[in-house]
């Protein structure tokens, strides 16, 4: 507990929420507990070079929206990958610890990192080089008949993608990719009466499927990352630089400053508001925890319980419109629907998620005797009157999507508006230099997602070439039918199997990769049983996200424990307790017809009944 003399000091600290949020230590702490690994702290010429390359890539992305390259989408993806993949080897250190790797430079990079960056640039740009591959059109004409140099370059890119994935996310996803590659090559040696057996692929066929087709490296996952996700990360970086994140947290502090449950409400509301621009569970948890943990402590919350509340509120960032997690954009692409439709499907479940946490907060405040905390902050109306313009860009996205503008243009217009409105606060004016840094920060923020999406292309190409997805879904359905009878019982049992599988998968790989693997393998079982695509996609999305709140990994809970100083495993179980209702909502999507109303399908009566239920 804080001493009485500390009250004024704490209040003074809270009045400058912006300074708290922008502390470098907060950002570093958030990076430690993301699905992705933290990058290096660069400096000098290396930092300047990375900023220039990242900003140039951002310019390419913006150009592609308004003036698409005449050579087509795969040509753009090739250019985009050539811009970002080399940056991974400069920004992220290797997990390998080998002797004689060379002395590190002042920025932490090694000669080996620079060699990999150069090889990555060559391997990515090779299909575009007339003097090497004969030019892009000639390279594409060799589809299915790659020459030895093509195969060598494709092999190099395959190894580099796996290494990039290892640097940004750890070893689990590379191992998964290796298993799929082994299945591609050795699947022909399995007994042909096995349902998982196939004719087998030789190495050249595997490289061709990955390097010279639209189902491998340059498939839908990378397309979504290069067309949508990078624009939203740029938007988030610009909005954060304009002071929006600090405003959202300060508004939450001011809105609930008097009631007994004010401390808990503040944490939950901060998670929701900050989640609209963050889309990252661990980062949101650390950001709101840095500000609200002193309030929770003064209100009498134990560290473990407060950490569970912060983590549950932070995980909701991935579920909160309009900036959902990266997998939401993949849903829109896979289902060929607008991003606004996905936002509509996510709205009611998100409200229910935070309502469940708020109800738990109210119960805990009365059960454990939480105390009111007096804070010296401005009134919420004064904050809204002065800084409420930060909501404008969020509303612009929704309005433009409703007017059937493409999501890419909607977010660019919102980014431009956020940059212009930043001049209303002289502390956060986005001068040309700061705008350039924000663009570069947006591209750097998408590097781990790109690595995951390109690696996911290995998995999707494998399932496409071998037919693994339908085979696995048939096995799951047969298993459920052997244990239950009746359509509803079979669907319910399959949903439980799928939920367990997705939860276990999410413990090991990032949310985006978990969704992609779940869709191509597990989702097909639900579709085969007659569950429609929106319900299946959102079911997989939610369980992929909830893995961040599930022990024994629960990265958001680990981040919260680091902020509060609580014990890790008790914090994880408290997180699970707060988030528990969210595990039931996705089951309702697929098991009951009325559950589809939670996605906004049906009339007001059906939706109202589903909400009450």
């Amino acid at each position: 507990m804080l001493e009485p003399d500390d009250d004024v000091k704490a209040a003074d600290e809270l009045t400058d929420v912006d300074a708290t949020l922008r502390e470098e230590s907060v950002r570093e702490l958030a990076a430690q507990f993301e699905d992705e690994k933290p990058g290096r702290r660069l400096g000098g010429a290396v930092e300047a070079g990375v900023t220039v390359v990242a900003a140039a890539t951002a310019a390419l992305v913006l150009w592609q929206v308004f003036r698409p390259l005449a050579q087509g989408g795969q040509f753009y993806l090739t250019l985009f990958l050539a811009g970002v993949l080399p940056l991974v080897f400069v920004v992220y250190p290797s997990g390998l610890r080998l002797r004689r790797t060379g002395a590190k430079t002042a920025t932490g990079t090694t000669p080996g990192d620079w060699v990999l960056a150069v090889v990555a640039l060559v391997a990515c740009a090779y299909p575009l080089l007339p003097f090497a591959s004969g030019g892009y059109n000639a390279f594409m004409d060799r589809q299915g008949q790659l020459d030895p140099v093509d195969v060598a370059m494709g092999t190099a890119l395959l190894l580099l993608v796996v290494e990039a994935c290892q640097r940004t996310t750890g070893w689990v996803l590379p191992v998964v990719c290796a298993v799929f590659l082994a299945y591609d090559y050795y699947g022909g040696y399995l007994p042909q009466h096995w349902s998982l057996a196939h004719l087998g692929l030789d190495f050249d066929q595997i490289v061709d499927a990955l390097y010279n087709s639209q189902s491998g490296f340059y498939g839908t996952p990378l397309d979504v990352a290069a067309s949508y996700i990078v624009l939203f990360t740029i938007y988030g970086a610009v909005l954060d630089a304009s002071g929006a994140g600090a405003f959202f947290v300060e508004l939450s502090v001011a809105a609930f400053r008097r009631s007994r449950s004010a401390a808990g409400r503040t944490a939950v509301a901060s998670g929701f508001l900050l989640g609209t621009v963050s889309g990252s569970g661990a980062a949101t948890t650390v950001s709101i925890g840095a500000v609200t943990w002193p309030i929770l402590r003064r209100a009498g919350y134990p560290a473990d319980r407060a950490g569970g509340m912060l983590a549950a509120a932070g995980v909701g960032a991935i579920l909160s419109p309009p900036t959902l997690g990266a997998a939401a954009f993949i849903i829109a692409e896979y289902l060929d629907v607008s991003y606004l439709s996905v936002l509509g499907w996510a709205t009611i479940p998100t409200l229910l998620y935070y309502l469940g946490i708020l109800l738990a907060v109210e119960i805990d405040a009365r059960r454990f005797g939480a105390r009111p905390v007096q804070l010296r902050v401005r009134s919420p109306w004064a904050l809204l009157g002065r800084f409420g313009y930060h909501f404008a860009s969020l509303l612009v996205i929704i309005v433009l999507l409703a007017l059937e503008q493409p999501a890419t243009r909607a977010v660019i217009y919102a980014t431009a508006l956020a940059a212009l409105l930043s001049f209303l606060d002289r502390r956060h004016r986005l001068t040309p230099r700061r705008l350039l840094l924000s663009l570069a920060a947006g591209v750097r923020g998408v590097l781990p997602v790109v690595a995951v999406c390109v690696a996911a292309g290995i998995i999707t190409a494998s399932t496409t070439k071998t037919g693994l997805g339908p085979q696995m879904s048939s096995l799951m359905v047969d298993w459920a039918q052997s244990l239950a009878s009746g359509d509803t019982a079979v669907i319910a049992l399959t949903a439980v199997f799928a939920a367990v599988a997705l939860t276990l998968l999410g413990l090991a790989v990032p949310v985006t990769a978990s969704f992609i693997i779940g869709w191509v393998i597990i989702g097909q079982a639900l579709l085969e049983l007659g569950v429609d695509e929106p319900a299946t996609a959102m079911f997989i999305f939610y369980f992929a996200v909830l893995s961040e709140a599930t022990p024994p990994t629960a990265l958001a809970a680990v981040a919260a424990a680091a902020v509060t100083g609580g014990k890790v495993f008790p914090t994880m179980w408290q997180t699970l307790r707060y988030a528990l209702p969210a595990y039931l909502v996705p089951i309702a999507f697929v098991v009951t017809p009325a559950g589809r109303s939670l996605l906004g399908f049906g009339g007001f009566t059906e939706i109202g009944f589903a909400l009450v239920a």
Side-chain angles (χ1 to χ4, degrees), residues 444-463:
R444 288 178 67 165
V446 86
L447 294 181
V449 179
V450 170
V452 168
C453 287
V454 179
I458 299 172
I459 297 168
T460 55
S462 296
T463 56

Side-chain angles (χ1 to χ4, degrees), residues 216-226 229 330 334 452-454 456-457 460 516:
F217 298 142
Y218 307 107
T220 299
L222 179 61
D223 188 17
V224 171
I229 299 174
I330 298 177
Y334 277 167
V452 168
C453 287
V454 179
T460 55
I516 294 171

Side-chain angles (χ1 to χ4, degrees), residues 356-391:
I357 299 177
L358 282 173
L359 290 175
V361 166
E362 296 295 332
I363 293 171
D364 284 353
R366 286 154 179 77
R367 181 181 177 187
F368 300 105
R371 297 183 297 274
V373 178
Q374 295 297 325
L375 300 174
R376 196 174 65 200
V377 293
R378 286 174 284 187
S379 74
W381 299 112
L383 286 171
L384 282 172
R386 177 64 182 87
F387 300 109
Y389 59 83
H390 286 301
F391 287 109

